[in-house]
Amino acid sequence: MSRYYDEQELKNKQKLDLLRKELPPFLSEFFRSRTDHTSSRTRLAYAYDLRLFFNFLISETREIDAKSMDDFTLEHFGKITDEHIEEFLEYLGYYVTNRNVEGAEFHVENQTGGKARKLSTIRAVFAYFYKKGKVSANPAELVDMPPVREKAKVYLDVDEIADLLDMAEGGANLTKRQKDYHAHTRSRDVALLSLLAGTGIRVSELVGLNLNDVDVDRGSFRVVRKGGDEAILFFSEEIEMALREYLEIRGLKKGKIQAGHENALFLSMQNRRITARAVQNLVKKYSELAVSFKKITPHKLRSSFGTNMYRQTGDIYLVADLLGHKDVNTTRKSYADTKQEAGRRAAKAYRLRGDD
């Protein structure tokens, strides 16, 4: 398993340990039960959601008389009703918090997607303690999941991906300042974007790649998937050429790379392992020039790979395997975009002026 993955896991666990100290003590049992079944990032998201939920219960409800997180017991937890949970979801629509960097108040709004995620967390906690027989009811099951509005799926077709890569390679329309950077990062940017768009890996997987994870001669690389599983993936000759060019230039940086980052595949301008945020900014910079009417992120490049692969092969199980999905229904829901495909066929078939 990669050192980068181990480091990220450690950071998440350290954050979680600190956050759990702010939560009611009885929740420790719930978090222990999830250790072998969820990633550290998922448990961290649980903790943030639950901190908000229990702070609401303590400050906004009269029936539950706990004065602080430390005072909040399973007995108090058993007093929570479906009405309390519905009030919490209403509260999430617009609330005030002081948890920013400066400590000043600011306003937070949750759309239906954010509310749905927090309700899922509450349901998971109630389901656990109800199953254990430590509460007599499960009011969370009585609360309807907020309807999440379906958004149009955004992805790039093969021609648009070509435009994106051409933009990264040629640097056309970049500002003078951007061109100064581009002179130093062109080969890296092309290799990085090619690997993202051509294999569908996640941005977290990409930034975690090490030199010894890539076998250019065999056209393959090892990646640590979400949850810690390892997989061997393959890339095309086009990606191979981009990687070879980048690795040749990267090899000239020996002695300049910062300690602890010597094995990182992709480096920043500071000769450190590139960050996920830097990759997001890089994708945004080139995509805004190449495909200005679409908001493209690294995850949208992953979506583009999955959608285009499905359109070309029609094999949803192959796409699920390449993307590292354990449930093929996740792949079918996210990448088998039958609506857009039908719309594309209809647009090609329709003639404004008949056969003329």
Side-chain angles (χ1 to χ4, degrees):
M1 196 173 293
S2 76
R3 177 181 172 185
Y4 173 80
Y5 177 83
D6 291 339
E7 289 173 349
Q8 294 303 113
E9 279 290 290
L10 180 60
K11 287 179 182 178
N12 286 337
K13 288 175 182 176
Q14 289 172 338
K15 289 180 183 177
L16 181 59
D17 287 342
L18 290 174
L19 202 52
R20 281 174 56 178
K21 292 177 182 178
E22 300 182 37
L23 295 172
F26 74 88
L27 287 176
S28 294
E29 180 183 342
F30 166 75
F31 281 101
R32 281 195 301 271
S33 74
R34 310 300 290 179
T35 300
D36 295 332
H37 307 285
T38 58
S39 68
S40 59
R41 287 185 63 184
T42 297
R43 296 194 299 279
L44 191 58
Y46 281 161
Y48 282 121
D49 292 343
L50 291 172
R51 181 176 67 181
L52 186 59
F53 180 53
F54 282 96
N55 274 327
F56 165 81
L57 292 171
I58 292 168
S59 62
E60 303 293 334
T61 60
R62 296 180 179 179
E63 299 83 1
I64 299 171
D65 55 356
K67 300 294 188 286
S68 68
M69 292 285 195
D70 288 337
D71 293 336
F72 209 112
T73 65
L74 261 174
E75 184 179 352
H76 293 112
F77 186 70
K79 295 179 181 179
I80 298 172
T81 67
D82 54 308
E83 289 185 4
H84 291 134
I85 299 172
E86 288 170 349
E87 288 171 2
F88 173 64
L89 295 180
E90 182 181 14
Y91 164 80
L92 289 175
Y94 189 78
Y95 65 95
V96 177
T97 179
N98 62 358
R99 291 189 180 277
N100 66 352
V101 177
E102 293 80 17
E105 288 188 349
F106 70 105
H107 301 274
V108 179
E109 293 183 62
N110 275 260
Q111 302 301 320
T112 53
K115 293 180 180 181
R117 193 199 76 183
K118 291 173 177 61
L119 178 55
S120 293
T121 298
I122 296 169
R123 282 183 170 183
V125 175
F126 266 104
Y128 172 78
F129 285 109
Y130 182 68
K131 181 179 178 181
K132 290 290 184 178
K134 297 190 175 184
V135 292
S136 60
N138 184 354
E141 285 298 319
L142 301 177
V143 180
D144 293 332
M145 189 65 70
V148 179
R149 292 172 184 156
E150 185 177 348
K151 296 181 180 179
K153 294 181 175 65
V154 177
Y155 61 88
L156 300 180
D157 61 29
V158 290
D159 292 333
E160 290 169 329
I161 290 174
D163 291 341
L164 175 67
L165 295 177
D166 287 345
M167 184 63 65
E169 190 162 23
N173 300 325
L174 293 175
T175 65
K176 183 180 183 304
R177 179 178 174 81
Q178 287 174 331
K179 285 182 178 179
D180 291 339
Y181 282 105
H182 185 257
H184 300 283
T185 65
R186 184 191 66 80
S187 63
R188 182 206 66 184
D189 294 352
V190 173
L192 185 154
L193 288 171
S194 297
L195 203 58
L196 271 179
T199 65
I201 59 174
R202 298 177 177 89
V203 65
S204 60
E205 296 166 349
L206 178 124
V207 300
L209 287 174
N210 291 322
L211 289 172
N212 56 6
D213 290 327
V214 181
D215 188 336
V216 180
D217 293 331
R218 290 182 172 82
S220 65
F221 65 105
R222 177 182 59 192
V223 65
V224 178
R225 288 295 198 187
K226 188 177 179 180
D229 295 335
E230 290 190 1
I232 301 296
L233 301 178
F234 298 87
F235 48 80
S236 66
E237 290 183 5
E238 186 177 5
I239 297 174
E240 176 192 335
M241 289 190 293
L243 282 171
R244 284 190 186 278
E245 181 180 341
Y246 166 65
L247 289 171
E248 184 177 346
I249 294 174
R250 189 198 178 288
L252 301 176
K253 293 187 176 184
K254 286 183 178 178
K256 299 179 181 178
I257 300 173
Q258 294 193 33
H261 299 264
E262 297 88 350
N263 199 30
L265 176 61
F266 291 111
L267 298 173
S268 68
M269 287 286 288
Q270 293 74 39
N271 290 320
R272 298 170 56 88
R273 183 185 296 276
I274 197 168
T275 63
R277 177 59 61 84
V279 174
Q280 290 164 357
N281 291 336
L282 185 154
V283 170
K284 180 181 179 182
K285 176 178 69 175
Y286 290 119
S287 64
E288 284 182 345
L289 294 171
V291 197
S292 59
F293 63 96
K294 291 183 179 180
K295 185 177 180 181
I296 302 301
T297 64
H299 191 74
K300 291 294 188 297
L301 291 182
R302 175 174 165 83
S303 299
S304 300
F305 172 80
T307 301
N308 290 325
M309 182 62 70
Y310 179 71
R311 286 176 59 195
Q312 293 175 25
T313 66
D315 190 339
I316 199 69
Y317 293 96
L318 171 64
V319 177
D321 186 53
L322 292 173
L323 293 173
H325 288 165
K326 294 182 179 179
D327 184 355
V328 72
N329 289 318
T330 301
T331 317
R332 183 175 287 108
K333 179 180 179 182
S334 300
Y335 302 104
D337 194 348
T338 55
K339 288 183 180 179
Q340 285 200 22
E341 190 59 29
R344 186 187 301 272
R345 290 197 302 270
K348 287 182 177 180
Y350 186 69
R351 296 288 182 270
L352 286 174
R353 300 185 182 184
D355 293 335
D356 295 334

